[in-house]
Amino acid sequence: MTFPKAPRAYSINEALSVIGCGRTHLYQELNAGRLKARKLGSRTVILEQDLYDYLDSLPHFQIDPRLAQ
């Protein structure tokens, strides 16, 4: 059995599903230049590598030592 390959470029809706954020936040990240997108005709797409680079650039979660037990 073969599995379908992951897409090389994601539509905005697909990227929202991968990242798990809202549309407004995604567009804020695009407008700030932290996430790259490209135009494919009239469609906006985010390349797989750009999406993963963005996710890798996010800060790590820091545990508040006062709350850790």
Side-chain angles (χ1 to χ4, degrees), residues 3-64:
F3 295 98
K5 290 186 173 185
R8 302 266 310 160
Y10 294 94
S11 68
I12 294 297
N13 287 335
E14 291 169 332
L16 290 171
S17 295
V18 170
I19 294 176
C21 71
R23 184 175 300 276
T24 300
H25 181 77
L26 181 97
Y27 277 104
Q28 287 172 341
E29 294 300 287
L30 289 169
N31 288 327
R34 291 184 287 268
L35 177 60
K36 297 177 190 173
R38 299 169 195 254
K39 294 300 282 188
L40 181 61
S42 62
R43 292 183 62 209
T44 301
V45 297
I46 301 172
L47 297 182
E48 177 184 46
Q49 188 60 52
D50 290 334
L51 188 60
Y52 291 128
D53 288 345
Y54 168 74
L55 292 172
D56 285 340
S57 74
L58 296 175
H60 290 275
F61 176 75
Q62 297 293 320
I63 297 173
D64 187 340

